[in-house]
Amino acid sequence: MSRTESLADYLRDQGRRKLDRVEARDGGRNARSALALLDAAVYTRSLKDDDPFVAVLVEAGCFGPQGTGEFEPTDRVAKVVRFWETGEPWQLLMAIRFALQGALT
């Protein structure tokens, strides 16, 4: 499995988790989040493994120490994804990148 496929699978799984989440009076937050994450998963599958965004994830250790494992988000990445509610897929990827910048410098 490629890195982008692994990342897309993670985003898809998180989107499905949001779909299954039932909260009284959430105002549609979980549904919006689910749609945004599922959209981001589709977008991510279109990226190449040598995309600069993927390189940032590799450098941050999200694909294991050698960069060849399955996608495992850092705490910072997981937090961005967990609280992502709406936006274009590229905006989610940029938010993840910005969250990681502090960890990489």
Side-chain angles (χ1 to χ4, degrees):
M1 175 182 300
S2 74
R3 291 176 182 148
T4 55
E5 289 172 332
S6 181
L7 173 58
D9 285 351
Y10 170 76
L11 294 172
R12 187 191 69 238
D13 291 346
Q14 295 306 304
R16 287 183 175 167
R17 192 168 285 148
K18 292 280 186 163
L19 280 176
D20 292 339
R21 191 175 178 113
V22 177
E23 291 181 29
R25 300 184 204 109
D26 81 345
R29 183 182 69 246
N30 286 319
R32 284 190 303 275
S33 179
L35 290 174
L37 291 171
L38 293 171
D39 194 24
V42 171
Y43 176 83
T44 301
R45 280 199 182 270
S46 72
L47 300 176
K48 305 279 187 222
D49 271 357
D50 62 352
D51 186 276
F53 171 71
V54 176
V56 169
L57 294 175
V58 170
E59 186 178 345
C62 293
F63 293 99
Q66 303 299 320
T68 58
E70 296 296 314
F71 179 76
E72 287 292 329
T74 64
D75 290 341
R76 290 176 186 228
V77 172
K79 185 175 183 180
V80 169
V81 171
R82 184 172 45 251
F83 291 105
W84 191 255
E85 188 172 324
T86 186
E88 295 296 321
W90 65 268
Q91 291 171 315
L92 172 59
L93 300 185
M94 290 305 295
I96 290 170
R97 187 176 191 160
F98 290 143
L100 288 173
Q101 279 182 336
L104 297 177
T105 57

